[in-house]
Every structure is written in C-alpha cells, then in structure tokens.
Amino acid sequence: MEKLNAINEIENMEVKQIFSIGQDFVNQKLIYGIKFNDKNYVISSEKEFMRLSEATEKMGLIPKYDEVEMSKISAKTIKDFVENETTDYLTPKELYLKIKQQLCNHIYFEDNRIYDVLTLWIILSYCYTMFDYIPYLHLKGDKGVGKSTLLTILKNTCFNATMWSSLTEAVIFRYIDVSNATLLIDEAEDLKNPRNKNLNGILNAGFNKQGTVPRTKMAKNVEKVVHYNSFSMKALAGINDIPNVLKDRCINIQMAKKPKNIRMKKYIDTSKEITNINDIIIQNLYFFALTYCKEIYNLYENMDVVLPECLSARDTDIYLPLFCIAKLVDGFSENNDIQTILFEYSEDMSKMRNQEDIEENLSYKLIIDLYEMIKENKVIPYKDKYFQNDKLYNYLSEKGDYYFNSSTGLTKALNTLGIKHTRISNELGKKTYYIITLEQLNKLLDSYNITLPNIIEGKDIEELDNGNPFNY
C-alpha cells in the first residue's frame, strides 16, 4: 500500500526546474534576478515580474539561491519593459554603435574589426545563458597598450562584471554560481603556474553550459557532493601566453601601443560623463536582451547564420553566439556590415590558429621523421652525424605535410629543436650541414614525451600502429 501511494505521489508530482538567479535561460525565456533595498525579485522575457520567493508558485521554477547579490537593472527599465514602453530605448543598431563608439574613443587597436568583436561580446554577456558554448577573450599585449583600461570598460558595461588580478576557487564559485558574473582576470599568464592547476580546471570547464565543478561540503555533519556552476563570460588579460587548453577557448585580442599621432580620450570611470554613458548602455542592454532573446535563440537553434567553412568545430562553438547577435543587429539596418566584419575576422583568426597548431605539431613530426631517417639510413651522413642541408630538405619535402618553403625554413624548425648547423669543406665543396645524432633524438623523444612503435628495418614507420606513426 505504501509503495502504491509513493508511485501515485511521483506520478502526480510536477518536476520543477532549478534556475540560476543571476541570469538563466529556461523554458525559452530569459530570467534575471534583481535586488532592490534588500528585497529579491525576478524578471523574465515573458514580462513576468515578481518576488523571488514567488517564482516557484508562479513560474514553476525553483531559484538556486534565495538572495540575489548582483544586479544593475533599474526600476524604470523593469517598468518600461513590463509595460511595453519602448520610446526611451535605443534600437539594436543604435545600441551597438553606442557601445562600439565607447571602445573607439578610449582603446586603440591596429585591427579595427576588434571593436566589433568586443561590442558583440559585451552584448552577449547579457544573454549568454541561452547558448551551449561561449567565447572567452584573451587580451594580449605589452605594458602600456591599454589592457587595464579595456578591462575597466568591460567591468562597467558587461553583465555583473567583476575584475580580479588574482583568483581563488572560492571567489569563482561565489561570483559565478550565485551571480553568473562576467570574470575579468588581469595578469592571466600566472595561470601557467602549477599551483593554479585546480583554478585552470574550473576555467577550462566554464565555457560550456554543462560546466560544473564538484566539491565536497559538510551539511549537518554529513559530507555531500555539491556541483558549482562555472559557466560564465570571462576575459583574461596579460603580457604572455596562457595555458593552451584555455587559449583554445578564447578569441585572441592582440593589443598594441598606439602611434604618437593618434590621440585617445582618457577613460575616467568615475566621471559624470562616463557614468551616464555606462548607465545608458547597461539599461539598454538589459532591455535589448529581454526583448530580443527569443529571436536570437531561434537563429542559434536553427543555425540560421553563415559561418566561414574553415572554422573548426571548436571555433564554430565560440563564434556562433556572436554571429547570431550580429545577424539580429544587422536586421535593423540596410546591410550586413557586422556579419561581414565578423565573418572575415573569424576566418582570419581560425586560419592563424590552424597555422599555430601546425607549427606546434611540426616539431613532433620532425623528431619522428629524423629518428626514422637515421635508424633506417634514409639519408647518408658525412662522418656519421653531418647531414647536408639540401639532401635533408629534399628528403623531408618528399615526405609531405611540411610547411617550410625553403631550407631556411627547415633551419628555423631544426633550431627550435636545438639542432645546430655548420659549414664544412670537403670533396663536394663548402656546404651547410646539420649536426644530428641518435642520442640527441632520443633526448628529444623523451623531452616531447613521444612514444615510438618499434621501427623495423626496411618497413615504413607510417605502416606501423595502424598508420599512426606516433602516440604522445
């Protein structure tokens, strides 16, 4: 009888979904948590507005937390949206141009397309929860190029943005899990430090909507596993590179010092002018996201955008949200300027990333081929260890898959591996020779953590291991 009652109970039970109180996209509607005078509210793109405590009964959704900690939407914006009052708000294209102008006034980029990419990224921060994957930004450049100024602009315009020069796991959990905050991280190259391994794991997972981080927590003297949300917009700034896995989730923004003949306005974020502009942008971004989230999501769900064919699966993931917003905004003008700019930029960046991958992987292939060459006497050396440059270049060129256009390119690739060259006079005349030994290659195999299958005399290495010449 008890079993039957329990079955009846779950059959008639409505399963209520939990939503994040900073920002969430649930049941085809965008939701923001709001705080006014220590009272908590929630607004949705369906023009629902209520106390947070009423969300379960009226919306059929359970808030993950009871207290909203960050929100910037004004009472006027809420009232205007719920009551369909649009006269005080910019069109999507006007909003886009206002954000872009703010960037153009205060930050210098050699590539003007970056202004458009950053503008789209700022807009995305107000509706990112509708996407499965989002792009991080990597702001890279020397001292004095404006990284701090750009981070400050992002802090003042992005959704629930907070800026840090050092982060802890607790900070990430607090700001993302509770407030869906945009994290702006300065001196990001410090993430390469081994002590930041756990922090990297959180950041690596956080570009994916399913990105959560499990941690144990004591509750009533019982240890239980809690899954913290790590999905949020993030920008990382620094002089040097960040870890490769994290870089793979980023749109690279290369920054450079402005020429002396170019003057930029100084960005003083406490000035009345800047404060007023920021407030106009923020309120319009809330209004834009609540108004157009469904249209943007339909573009995303139907993949109704044109992407460069060269984009990898990962690049498609991170650029797709920006293309959806670009198409929506372009719909309010007579051309597709923004989509065209984003198309060209993403195409160029994807090709550059592919070339970087090739250059990184070239070292592995080069070590393997040189090892095979020596073990199987494919190229006969002079006095056991001197390999004439033309013969070595021709041998490697015949194997294919190399991207140096001359022996000079080969020399650079070999120098990367620590392989030196010298000039030797003999019966062939005076020629350049590379100094390569099996002992040296064994050290490289170990250094690059390459495991070779056994090389059998007379058998091509590529025929081994099911056509895979190495595992690493």
Side-chain angles (χ1 to χ4, degrees):
M1 191 66 174
E2 288 182 4
K3 184 186 294 186
L4 183 60
N5 288 337
I7 291 173
N8 290 334
E9 182 180 357
I10 64 171
E11 281 183 336
N12 298 318
M13 186 182 295
E14 180 186 0
V15 178
K16 291 182 170 63
Q17 191 169 341
I18 296 174
F19 72 95
S20 296
I21 61 171
Q23 176 193 143
D24 212 341
F25 189 74
V26 184
N27 298 336
Q28 303 284 303
K29 57 187 175 186
L30 184 64
I31 299 170
Y32 296 125
I34 303 162
K35 196 176 197 74
F36 284 121
N37 298 328
D38 292 328
K39 292 182 179 179
N40 300 283
Y41 301 88
V42 62
I43 188 171
S44 83
S45 54
E46 296 297 316
K47 301 187 184 299
E48 301 163 300
F49 181 67
M50 66 199 71
R51 290 280 182 90
L52 184 62
S53 58
E54 299 174 318
T56 302
E57 178 185 348
K58 294 184 177 180
M59 299 174 68
L61 299 171
I62 302 172
K64 188 171 184 180
Y65 294 98
D66 297 328
E67 292 283 335
V68 177
E69 293 194 356
M70 299 175 72
S71 67
K72 296 180 181 179
I73 190 170
S74 70
K76 182 182 184 310
T77 302
I78 294 169
K79 185 175 184 292
D80 289 345
F81 177 73
V82 172
E83 296 180 356
N84 295 311
E85 180 55 61
T86 63
T87 54
D88 291 339
Y89 296 89
L90 303 171
T91 67
K93 190 59 178 282
E94 289 170 340
L95 173 59
Y96 181 91
L97 292 175
K98 194 166 193 69
I99 298 169
K100 182 178 176 180
Q101 188 61 56
Q102 181 82 322
L103 293 165
C104 291
N105 286 344
H106 303 286
I107 302 293
Y108 170 77
F109 291 112
E110 291 180 337
D111 187 341
N112 287 329
R113 299 173 301 181
I114 294 176
Y115 295 110
D116 296 273
V117 173
L118 289 176
T119 300
L120 291 169
W121 196 83
I122 290 169
I123 296 172
L124 173 62
S125 71
Y126 284 79
C127 56
Y128 80 91
T129 49
M130 70 174 68
F131 299 99
D132 293 327
Y133 302 93
I134 53 172
Y136 293 170
L137 295 179
H138 181 207
L139 314 176
K140 185 180 177 183
D142 291 333
K143 291 181 179 179
V145 298
K147 295 189 298 295
S148 296
T149 301
L150 178 53
L151 285 176
T152 303
I153 293 174
L154 295 177
K155 177 178 72 70
N156 290 336
T157 50
C158 288
F159 180 80
N160 284 358
T162 178
M163 186 160 64
W164 298 85
S165 58
S166 63
L167 276 175
T168 64
E169 292 182 49
V171 166
I172 289 184
F173 293 151
R174 188 70 184 169
Y175 279 92
I176 298 179
D177 201 48
V178 178
S179 301
N180 298 88
T182 301
L183 290 188
L184 309 173
I185 305 171
D186 204 359
E187 300 177 12
E189 55 265 49
D190 194 44
L191 293 169
K192 280 194 164 185
N193 193 313
R195 64 182 168 81
N196 286 320
K197 182 179 179 181
N198 289 341
L199 192 57
N200 275 317
I202 297 169
L203 295 174
N204 289 342
F207 87 117
N208 183 339
K209 190 166 189 173
Q210 305 306 317
T212 60
V213 181
R215 290 291 184 270
T216 56
K217 179 180 178 181
M218 294 299 295
K220 296 180 180 180
N221 296 321
V222 177
E223 191 174 63
K224 66 176 184 176
V225 176
V226 178
H227 289 268
Y228 292 97
N229 180 24
S230 62
F231 182 53
S232 81
M233 303 288 284
K234 301 174 186 71
L236 307 101
I239 296 173
N240 299 314
D241 264 341
I242 55 178
N244 284 340
V245 175
L246 196 54
K247 186 163 66 172
D248 200 35
R249 288 145 171 74
C250 292
I251 294 174
N252 182 56
I253 304 296
Q254 186 63 49
M255 303 186 70
K257 290 188 177 181
K258 67 178 181 62
K260 291 183 179 179
N261 63 330
I262 293 179
R263 298 184 66 84
M264 313 296 297
K265 291 184 180 179
K266 187 169 181 60
Y267 188 83
I268 304 173
D269 65 337
T270 55
S271 73
K272 187 174 181 180
E273 179 188 4
I274 295 295
T275 301
N276 288 340
I277 292 172
N278 289 340
D279 187 58
I280 290 169
I281 288 173
I282 288 169
Q283 299 311 316
N284 274 274
L285 281 166
Y286 274 113
F287 200 91
F288 167 88
L290 288 167
T291 303
Y292 297 106
C293 62
K294 274 194 174 180
E295 291 181 46
I296 296 171
Y297 184 74
N298 286 337
L299 293 172
Y300 176 65
E301 188 176 38
N302 298 316
M303 281 285 287
D304 188 16
V305 292
V306 179
L307 302 170
E309 292 184 1
C310 67
L311 294 190
S312 66
R314 175 56 50 80
D315 283 342
T316 297
D317 285 340
I318 65 176
Y319 278 105
L320 181 55
L322 301 184
F323 272 99
C324 293
I325 293 171
K327 183 166 184 176
L328 186 283
V329 176
D330 271 341
F332 289 83
S333 63
E334 296 179 356
N335 51 52
N336 294 327
D337 286 353
I338 304 171
Q339 292 174 85
T340 301
I341 291 169
L342 183 60
F343 187 99
E344 292 174 353
Y345 185 82
S346 62
E347 185 175 49
D348 288 348
M349 292 300 103
S350 182
K351 289 178 180 178
M352 187 181 298
R353 192 194 296 265
N354 290 340
Q355 184 62 35
E356 288 174 354
D357 289 343
I358 288 168
E359 289 172 357
E360 287 179 7
N361 293 331
L362 177 63
S363 295
Y364 288 89
K365 180 169 175 55
L366 199 50
I367 294 167
I368 296 293
D369 287 342
L370 291 174
Y371 189 89
E372 174 198 2
M373 177 190 75
I374 291 179
K375 288 288 285 187
E376 299 187 11
N377 294 316
K378 297 291 182 94
V379 176
I380 306 302
Y382 172 71
K383 293 187 176 180
D384 296 326
K385 65 178 183 180
Y386 299 99
F387 292 82
Q388 203 230 310
N389 67 335
D390 289 340
K391 292 183 179 179
L392 184 58
Y393 174 75
N394 290 336
Y395 168 76
L396 292 171
S397 296
E398 289 174 2
K399 292 185 71 64
D401 296 328
Y402 283 103
Y403 288 83
F404 27 73
N405 299 319
S406 65
S407 58
T408 302
L410 171 60
T411 300
K412 289 180 179 179
L414 292 173
N415 283 342
T416 301
L417 299 177
I419 294 174
K420 307 298 183 184
H421 61 280
T422 187
R423 298 278 288 175
I424 296 177
S425 297
N426 54 28
E427 62 273 15
L428 299 175
K430 192 170 185 178
K431 293 186 177 294
T432 299
Y433 288 79
Y434 300 106
I435 307 166
I436 310 172
T437 66
L438 199 58
E439 179 185 8
Q440 183 180 19
L441 291 174
N442 278 321
K443 288 181 179 179
L444 286 169
L445 289 171
D446 183 65
S447 175
Y448 280 76
N449 197 28
I450 300 173
T451 303
L452 281 173
N454 292 326
I455 296 180
I456 302 171
E457 185 69 30
K459 188 174 181 65
D460 194 299
I461 190 171
E462 295 187 10
E463 296 176 16
L464 299 169
D465 199 25
N466 296 321
N468 183 4
F470 56 87
N471 299 305
Y472 59 91

